[in-house]
Amino acid sequence: MSITNQEALFQQRVDQEIKIEARDWMPEEYRKTLIRQISQHAHSEIVGMLPEGNWITRAPNLIRKLILIAKVQDEAGHGLYLYSAAETLGVSRDELIDQLHTGKAKYSSIFNYPTLTWADIGAVGWLVDGAAIMNQVMLCRASYGPYARAMVRICKEESFHQRQGYESLMVLSKGTEEQKAMLQDAVNRWWWPSLMMFGPSDSESTNSEKSMLWKIKRQSNDDLRQRFVDATVDQAKLLGVTLPDPHLKWNEARGHYDFGEIDWNEFWNVVKGNGMCNKERLQARVKAHEEGQWVRDAAMAYSEKKKKKAA
């Protein structure tokens, strides 16, 4: 069968909502697109542990410490699910991690911003995890089976993280004037980076069209961004905070909120490695990987010993 016929049959399966599995034939570009997207997602979960892990010892009470430890642990698990899904496409985990450490692979730009106060941890849960859920729910229906199945559990846990973040901000919103000011400051700093999480505008995106054709993703970056804004405005009102956008207003004709222009220069600057925490995040990951080498060596030695014993 020719490649052209195989591609036609492949697209037919995708259009019929039949999941593509690891052993099925797939176009090479589809495989590469999945590896890029899934590994970028996995890297984001692992790097995303850093801004929150920084606050575990400084959380205001024991309950908040326990919640934050559980959340960071969840994110480590998400990274492992996603690395495993990527491995089904014929790429090794060592290769993926090397791509992260050398800067060849990207992760979400949002994690290159610092968490300056305790309110930032709540804002990350509410806004960052909220944006992640908006983006990731559709991935539970992705055409590639191992990715879609991994996303089901990830989305359930991310939903819990978003509610936890919002609840912690609600407590601050009912606190002292200083706590309310801290809450507003955190929202001011995290709002625009959260909107950038959906990626470049549709006119600038080079990957969205093909990903939607292959049903890896189901909605465009701009459509998801709009849904996030529409869903978040009322939540902000309940918190008593002002979203830092003077152009934010309801458009009756569109049935959506209008919002201001994103600073894409800032977005691309962070993506290119020039954000506030880019170097710090990468150095922390490389250091952790190097210091954990003895654990991997011990695990491999134990595995080899068991194999020899079984033989």
Side-chain angles (χ1 to χ4, degrees):
M1 185 181 294
S2 69
I3 293 295
T4 302
N5 289 338
Q6 284 182 313
E7 288 181 345
L9 288 172
F10 171 84
Q11 189 62 52
Q12 187 177 45
R13 289 189 68 190
V14 170
D15 292 341
Q16 292 174 350
E17 303 289 348
I18 299 171
K19 286 284 184 281
I20 307 301
E21 300 297 342
R23 294 184 179 182
D24 294 338
W25 185 91
M26 63 188 73
E28 185 61 18
E29 191 179 351
Y30 176 82
R31 188 184 75 85
K32 288 180 178 178
T33 297
L34 281 170
I35 291 174
R36 176 191 56 78
Q37 180 170 327
I38 297 172
S39 64
Q40 185 179 73
H41 192 168
H43 299 329
S44 298
E45 294 285 355
I46 298 300
V47 176
M49 298 161 62
L50 296 172
E52 294 175 313
N54 183 43
W55 275 89
I56 289 174
T57 59
R58 296 183 288 163
N61 55 50
L62 180 59
I63 294 298
R64 295 294 180 194
K65 282 181 172 63
L66 292 172
I67 291 170
L68 193 52
I69 289 171
K71 183 182 180 185
V72 171
Q73 185 179 29
D74 284 349
E75 288 164 350
H78 297 172
L80 295 178
Y81 304 151
L82 292 164
Y83 283 133
S84 296
E87 285 178 311
T88 66
L89 293 159
V91 61
S92 73
R93 192 170 307 191
D94 286 343
E95 185 179 348
L96 295 176
I97 292 173
D98 182 66
Q99 289 173 358
L100 171 65
H101 292 171
T102 58
K104 183 179 178 181
K106 303 296 182 185
Y107 54 88
S108 179
S109 61
I110 194 77
F111 299 118
N112 291 311
Y113 290 84
T115 44
L116 303 178
T117 70
W118 173 249
D120 285 38
I121 300 303
V124 167
W126 174 41
L127 296 174
V128 176
D129 291 333
I133 292 165
M134 195 68 70
N135 193 40
Q136 292 172 11
V137 165
M138 67 172 178
L139 297 176
C140 296
R141 295 167 55 224
S143 59
Y144 187 58
Y147 191 24
R149 290 188 287 273
M151 289 311 305
V152 172
R153 177 167 178 173
I154 289 173
C155 283
K156 288 179 180 178
E157 294 179 349
E158 290 288 4
S159 180
F160 182 82
H161 298 168
Q162 194 266 351
R163 292 173 69 87
Q164 174 268 324
Y166 190 77
E167 183 273 336
S168 69
L169 293 184
M170 187 62 75
V171 171
L172 290 177
S173 74
K174 297 174 181 177
T176 65
E177 291 304 312
E178 184 180 8
Q179 288 172 320
K180 292 176 183 177
M182 182 171 65
L183 164 57
Q184 182 64 62
D185 175 64
V187 171
N188 290 347
R189 287 182 288 103
W190 287 95
W191 173 248
W192 290 108
S194 296
L195 294 190
M196 295 176 195
M197 276 184 71
F198 295 96
S201 61
D202 293 344
S203 61
E204 298 290 327
S205 177
T206 57
N207 299 306
S208 284
E209 187 177 347
K210 211 61 181 285
S211 290
M212 290 177 69
L213 174 66
W214 286 327
K215 298 186 186 295
I216 296 172
K217 61 187 290 184
R218 303 283 177 144
Q219 289 179 280
S220 72
N221 296 349
D222 287 341
D223 286 345
L224 288 166
R225 194 170 4 252
Q226 183 68 68
R227 285 186 61 199
F228 175 71
V229 172
D230 291 346
T232 307
V233 171
D234 286 341
Q235 296 172 7
K237 290 176 182 176
L238 288 173
L239 284 175
V241 296
T242 302
L243 296 175
D245 182 356
H247 301 288
L248 186 65
K249 63 179 179 180
W250 178 253
N251 186 321
E252 193 65 42
R254 292 178 59 237
H256 295 286
Y257 280 95
D258 291 335
F259 55 95
E261 182 65 24
I262 292 170
D263 184 353
W264 292 113
N265 288 330
E266 177 184 333
F267 171 78
W268 289 116
N269 191 51
V270 176
V271 169
K272 291 174 182 177
N274 302 315
M276 286 181 278
C277 297
N278 286 68
K279 292 182 176 62
E280 177 186 333
R281 299 289 185 245
L282 206 52
Q283 287 170 357
R285 285 308 315 149
V286 171
K287 182 173 182 287
H289 186 74
E290 290 175 347
E291 290 181 349
Q293 183 63 50
W294 71 271
V295 179
R296 295 189 294 278
D297 290 344
M300 288 299 296
Y302 179 72
S303 176
E304 289 299 320
K305 186 176 179 180
K306 284 193 73 175
K307 284 179 184 176
K308 287 179 182 177
K309 212 170 187 179

